Amino acid sequence: MNKFTKQWLTVALAAAGLLSSAPAMAGKTLDGIKSRGQVVCGVHTGLAGFSAADSSGKWAGLDVDVCRAVAAAVLGDSEKIKYVPLTAQQRFTALQSGEVDVLSRNTTFTLTRDASLGLNDTVVTYYDGQGFIVPKKSNIKSPKQFKNQTVCVQSGTTTEKNLTDYSKANNLNIKTVVFEKEEAATAAYFAGRCISYTTDASGLASIRNKVATTPADHVILPDLISKEPLGPMVRRGDDEWFAIVKWVIYGLIEAEEYGITQANVEQLKNTSQDPVVKRILGTGEDTGKLLGLDKDWMGRALKATGNYGEIFERNVGPKSALGLPRGINNQWNKGGLMYAYPLR
C-alpha cells in the first residue's frame, strides 16, 4: 500500500466515523408532525383491547398505546394525536395517501404487503394466529369439522385468503360468507347465518366479550391455521420516520427486559448505573440525536405508557377484559418471541 493510498484510507475511515455518529435529519413526516403539533394515527374502527373509543371519545388499546408512545417521544405529549378510524379496506390507502402518519391497526405483516404497497413494516407488537369462534351448543371441537359448512369472514383481509387456503388443503368445501365490514360479519355469525366467524384469535376474544349476549355460549377453538404477526406500518420513502417508530417500539420492549416501568422511570434516571438503562433513559449516551430527537425521547414514551409488558397487561392481558395469556408475546428470555434490537 503506497503513501497516497494510506492517506486516502485514513481520511475515508475518519469520514465514516463522523457520519456514523452524526445527528439524523428530521425527515418530511416528522417535520409535518411538528408543524401541525399532532401525530395522525390510523386505528381500528373499534376492537377492544387494541383500539377502541369509549363513550366520551377517549381511545385506548395496545395499538393506541403505541401511537401514544410515539407522540410522547416526538412531541413530548402522548395526547397530541389525531385518531383516524379505518376499515380493513381503507387502511392501506389512508397511509399511502398521507392521510395518516402511522397505521397502528392490528395489521399482519406479509410479503405481498411489504413488497407491493409502498409501505414499511416496523416491529411486531402482537404475535397472533387465525382462529374460529363457534356456538358452544354446536359441539364443534376443530375447524376440520367445517365440511360444507358456512363461515363468516371480512373481505380485504389475510383472514379471507387463509380460510380459502385451509378449506382447499383439507378438502372441506367451506362456504364463505363475505362482508366488507367486520360489524356486519360478526352480526351475521351471532344471528346464526354461519356456523363460525374467523379472524385473529385476539380479535375473536375481543368480539366475543363485546358483542355476544352471553359470551360463555361461544367457544374459541384452540386450532390456529396461520401466523399473524401484527404491527404498525409507515410509508416508504422516509427512513427517518421509519426509524423513529421502529425504535420507540424496540425501546418499549427492551425497557421491560431491563425492569424500567412507568412508575420507576424518574427514579432510575437519577440512580441507575446500568449502562443499558442509562442509554434508554438518556442519562448515558444520547441516542436521540441519531433519530433527530432529544435525549429524553424514550424516557418520555415510557412515562406515558409504561413498557411493553405493562401495555400488554393493561389492554389484553389476563387481568384485562380480554383475559389473553402472555404466551408467545412474552420476552425472549421467558419463552416468548419479544426480542428487541439493542438500543445502543
Side-chain angles (χ1 to χ4, degrees):
M1 185 181 294
N2 61 38
K3 183 178 180 181
F4 175 78
T5 304
K6 286 181 179 179
Q7 289 175 333
W8 179 87
L9 183 59
T10 301
V11 171
L13 290 171
L18 287 171
L19 287 172
S20 67
S21 60
M25 300 298 288
K28 59 181 179 293
T29 304
L30 183 58
D31 284 342
I33 288 168
K34 288 182 174 179
S35 176
R36 81 172 82 95
Q38 278 185 324
V39 174
V40 183
C41 183
V43 292
H44 198 285
T45 53
L47 185 65
F50 289 86
S51 51
D54 63 18
S55 57
S56 65
K58 184 175 177 61
W59 286 86
L62 189 151
D63 291 335
V64 168
D65 276 345
V66 170
C67 292
R68 294 179 62 238
V70 170
V74 302
L75 294 175
D77 187 340
S78 64
E79 300 304 312
K80 289 185 175 180
I81 303 174
K82 176 184 177 182
Y83 295 103
V84 179
L86 299 167
T87 66
Q89 291 77 17
Q90 295 168 335
R91 55 185 164 173
F92 300 125
T93 303
L95 183 57
Q96 291 162 339
S97 68
E99 182 183 349
V100 298
D101 300 313
V102 57
L103 179 68
S104 188
R105 186 205 176 281
N106 65 309
T107 297
T108 303
F109 295 164
T110 69
L111 182 151
T112 302
R113 290 174 175 177
D114 182 56
S116 67
L117 297 179
L119 306 176
N120 272 330
D121 303 335
T122 59
V123 179
V124 176
T125 53
Y126 191 92
Y127 288 95
D128 211 341
Q130 184 173 331
F132 298 86
I133 188 170
V134 297
K136 188 176 182 180
K137 65 182 180 182
S138 71
N139 290 319
I140 291 174
K141 306 299 181 186
S142 165
K144 290 185 178 178
Q145 295 175 249
F146 288 159
K147 191 170 182 66
N148 299 321
Q149 298 277 11
T150 56
V151 175
C152 290
V153 65
Q154 186 183 12
S155 63
T157 61
T158 56
T159 310
E160 181 184 6
K161 296 176 181 178
N162 292 338
L163 180 61
T164 300
D165 289 349
Y166 182 78
S167 178
K168 289 179 179 177
N170 291 279
N171 193 30
L172 295 175
N173 190 35
I174 291 173
K175 297 174 174 60
T176 58
V177 184
V178 181
F179 298 86
E180 182 178 344
K181 293 186 177 181
E182 181 183 90
E183 293 82 0
T186 57
Y189 162 71
F190 286 111
R193 286 185 58 189
C194 308
I195 193 64
S196 176
Y197 172 68
T198 182
T199 189
D200 300 340
S202 61
L204 293 176
S206 175
I207 290 161
R208 179 174 63 175
N209 185 65
K210 177 183 176 183
V211 182
T213 304
T214 306
D217 288 345
H218 301 270
V219 176
I220 298 172
L221 299 179
D223 307 60
L224 298 179
I225 66 167
S226 70
K227 302 188 295 288
E228 304 294 329
L230 311 177
M233 301 180 79
V234 296
R235 279 183 301 282
R236 283 193 181 171
D238 191 336
D239 291 345
E240 291 79 14
W241 179 239
F242 174 50
I244 288 170
V245 175
K246 179 172 66 174
W247 284 105
V248 167
I249 299 169
Y250 280 140
L252 297 173
I253 297 170
E254 190 162 63
E256 180 186 11
E257 183 179 347
Y258 283 85
I260 307 171
T261 68
Q262 191 174 30
N264 69 16
V265 168
E266 293 302 324
Q267 176 192 342
L268 290 177
K269 278 185 179 180
N270 297 321
T271 62
S272 180
Q273 296 304 310
D274 186 319
V276 177
V277 172
K278 293 178 74 173
R279 274 196 296 270
I280 293 172
L281 298 181
T283 56
E285 300 169 35
D286 182 1
T287 55
K289 69 180 180 181
L290 303 176
L291 297 169
L293 304 174
D294 62 28
K295 64 183 179 63
D296 295 318
W297 65 287
M298 199 62 228
R300 286 195 302 272
L302 290 164
K303 196 168 181 180
T305 65
N307 62 42
Y308 175 80
E310 292 176 284
I311 292 171
F312 185 99
E313 291 302 321
R314 177 169 62 246
N315 294 298
V316 300
K319 294 180 181 179
S320 73
L322 262 61
L324 298 174
R326 188 73 187 265
I328 58 174
N329 290 291
N330 217 327
Q331 287 279 334
W332 66 278
N333 53 6
K334 294 182 179 178
L337 297 176
M338 285 297 164
Y339 186 109
Y341 292 3
L343 269 71
R344 62 178 311 144

